[in-house]
């Protein structure tokens, strides 16, 4: 169906920046809303950001608003997450997700496809 692969995670100091990438492959669809979620050890998976098809509408979790920016390149069928002013509490595995919907959602149950995740670790 749709396969998603994340990249760009790593170890950074507090206050630093990272750019996460998510590329779609396999049998893809032209109208996918995309989202980013994250999960820290012992915690539930939480919503981070989402972007509609074709990309005119975005939404962010309160905890990342003003620091994170989601964007997409529809020609490449890719989505990105620019992360600035990193904090230790941002440490988590970050997952890319795609929905067979143009509107997108903050509910993980609304997403049909998931990547394997990429680790982001922020040191203080």
């Amino acid at each position: 169906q749709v396969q998603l692969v994340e990249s760009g995670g790593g170890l950074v100091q507090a206050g630093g920046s990272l750019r996460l990438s998510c590329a779609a492959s396999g049998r893809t669809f032209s109208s996918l809303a995309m989202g980013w979620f994250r999960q820290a050890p012992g915690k539930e998976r939480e919503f981070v950001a989402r972007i509609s098809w074709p990309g005119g509408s975005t939404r962010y979790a309160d905890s990342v608003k003003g620091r994170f920016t989601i964007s997409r390149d529809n020609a490449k069928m890719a989505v990105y997450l620019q992360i600035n002013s990193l904090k230790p509490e941002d440490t988590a595995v970050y997952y890319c997700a795609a929905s067979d919907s143009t509107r997108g959602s903050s509910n993980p149950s609304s997403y049909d496809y998931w990547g394997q995740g990429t680790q982001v670790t922020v040191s203080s």
Side-chain angles (χ1 to χ4, degrees):
Q1 293 180 280
V2 176
Q3 299 160 27
L4 305 174
V5 179
E6 303 98 331
S7 62
L11 174 64
V12 297
Q13 294 184 359
S17 299
L18 281 175
R19 190 190 190 198
L20 307 184
S21 299
C22 173
S25 62
R27 182 177 293 177
T28 60
F29 301 90
S30 62
S31 302
L32 295 173
M34 305 293 292
W36 285 97
F37 293 77
R38 67 186 183 185
Q39 187 168 24
K43 296 185 177 181
E44 296 181 342
R45 186 168 298 186
E46 65 173 342
F47 166 76
V48 174
R50 63 179 172 90
I51 186 167
S52 66
W53 174 270
S57 178
T58 59
R59 193 71 59 86
Y60 299 91
D62 289 341
S63 60
V64 307
K65 195 174 299 181
R67 298 187 299 118
F68 290 20
T69 302
I70 188 171
S71 62
R72 64 188 298 162
D73 184 333
N74 294 327
K76 297 180 179 179
M77 204 59 205
V79 64
Y80 308 96
L81 187 68
Q82 178 66 43
I83 309 175
N84 297 326
S85 302
L86 278 160
K87 303 175 180 179
E89 51 262 43
D90 294 320
T91 296
V93 177
Y94 284 71
Y95 296 92
C96 175
S99 174
D100 289 328
S101 170
T102 59
R103 65 175 182 83
S105 174
S106 299
N107 187 345
S109 298
S110 299
Y111 290 83
D112 305 287
Y113 315 101
W114 294 84
Q116 84 289 348
T118 185
Q119 177 71 47
V120 173
T121 303
V122 184
S123 63
S124 59

